[in-house]
Amino acid sequence: PPTNRDLVAAGAKIVAAVTCLPIAVYAGHVVWLRDQANADFVFAPAIRNLVNGAFHCAKFQALPDILKATVPDCPPLLDIEIDLERRKISESQAFHRLGRRFSWNPLKIDRAWEHACEVDRAYREMMVSRQLTYPQALGQLYGGEWETELPPAPSSPLTVGVVGPPYNLYDTYINHDLITRLRDLGVRVVTSEMVSPQDALAGVQRTTGQTLWFYENAMSGAAGHYLLSPEVDGVIAVLAFTCGPDSAMVETLTRRAHTLQRSFMGLVLD
């Protein structure tokens, strides 16, 4: 279900006090799946890095271990590991190993992986070409509970870039429905996933100078692109309290925006 007060409280109750908000929320959802959904498995990947030199934070690297250690009677986890640099486990290898938990037919696993990659590629290209958010793109593809209606043309000429990891931008409980609130004010909102990988990489070079973190493109890359775009009036970077990588990136972005004399705000979720 969507995040709510009870889920956050359930997660915060079992994880350490220093744990960041996204991990506490994740743990709360796992508790709900254990108690209410009778889930057979919970997908909880341990992602170290997908690109050489760019790492996920320690808590996401240890996500399955954190859940097993803190969630009583934790449901069975699909705890694949992706570690391209240290253990030489690529994304493809990790998901092929996952596939063997459901089928020993390598051709079936290969076809499933290739189809998933094609769908993901088309999905990401749609968001860039049509300037859609994650929920809007899912709504266009699948309908149902996703955001199927595109917002009306903004009444204000103001355009704001909202950047950050997707779990900060689209969990409407923890961010108080930030994007909808901005749209209700007549603001045209552009987000991280609307920036192409090439433009995001260029944005990183203009801001932090190198890709160090898993969500560098979503934060530094998108912000760097929007800070230098004359069509964007300002940028809001959404970060979670106690998130080290987010804090480091936003501090650098704040200084870069000041140098460029551009409007920039770091919005901390806690």
Side-chain angles (χ1 to χ4, degrees):
T3 303
N4 55 48
R5 184 184 184 90
D6 292 338
L7 284 176
V8 175
K13 182 179 179 180
I14 59 177
V15 298
V18 296
T19 304
C20 65
L21 179 61
I23 295 295
V25 171
Y26 199 111
H29 279 278
V30 173
V31 170
W32 187 92
L33 290 169
R34 180 200 64 191
D35 295 340
Q36 306 295 330
N38 195 26
D40 295 313
F41 296 99
V42 173
F43 182 59
I47 304 175
R48 179 176 171 85
N49 65 334
L50 299 177
V51 179
N52 284 330
F55 297 95
H56 224 324
C57 78
K59 293 183 178 66
F60 275 106
Q61 291 183 38
L63 180 59
D65 294 327
I66 291 174
L67 295 175
K68 292 173 186 176
T70 59
V71 179
D73 300 319
C74 184
L77 302 179
L78 297 176
D79 50 351
I80 63 171
E81 180 180 14
I82 304 174
D83 187 349
L84 188 62
E85 190 159 307
R86 184 181 60 185
R87 301 193 61 187
K88 311 300 181 186
I89 304 173
S90 69
E91 192 176 4
S92 173
Q93 291 170 322
F95 278 96
H96 275 75
R97 293 179 183 181
L98 174 64
R100 287 199 292 270
R101 299 184 66 170
F102 299 94
S103 172
W104 279 100
N105 185 336
L107 295 178
K108 187 175 182 179
I109 296 171
D110 286 341
R111 286 194 299 268
W113 170 248
E114 290 170 3
H115 179 66
C117 290
E118 290 173 4
V119 171
D120 181 66
R121 183 163 48 250
Y123 170 60
R124 294 181 184 278
E125 289 174 355
M126 174 193 287
M127 290 187 288
V128 174
S129 64
R130 296 178 58 183
Q131 294 290 278
L132 301 177
T133 64
Y134 283 115
Q136 287 171 348
L138 289 170
Q140 295 299 300
L141 289 171
Y142 304 113
E145 63 187 48
W146 299 104
E147 187 176 343
T148 54
E149 293 186 8
L150 301 182
S155 59
S156 166
L158 189 66
T159 298
V160 175
V162 181
V163 303
Y167 48 79
N168 287 343
L169 267 54
Y170 298 110
D171 190 319
T172 57
Y173 178 78
I174 65 171
N175 69 19
H176 295 275
D177 211 358
L178 172 65
I179 291 176
T180 299
R181 287 173 182 264
L182 289 171
R183 286 175 178 161
D184 288 345
L185 293 172
V187 175
R188 173 177 174 253
V189 177
V190 289
T191 55
S192 298
E193 63 273 20
M194 298 178 187
V195 180
S196 71
Q198 297 79 13
D199 288 340
L201 184 59
V204 170
Q205 296 303 316
R206 297 183 187 121
T207 52
T208 56
Q210 57 183 324
T211 303
L212 295 175
W213 300 107
F214 184 86
Y215 281 114
E216 194 88 48
N217 277 8
M219 183 71 84
S220 304
H225 175 73
Y226 289 138
L227 285 172
L228 292 173
S229 173
E231 299 176 354
V232 177
D233 299 288
V235 175
I236 299 173
V238 186
L239 65 157
F241 182 65
T242 75
C243 178
D246 281 3
S247 299
M249 287 186 283
V250 169
E251 178 62 26
T252 303
L253 291 171
T254 301
R255 297 180 184 187
R256 182 61 174 154
H258 179 74
T259 301
L260 294 170
Q261 297 184 324
R262 297 280 279 157
S263 299
F264 180 85
M265 180 175 73
L267 181 64
V268 183
L269 307 179
D270 184 13

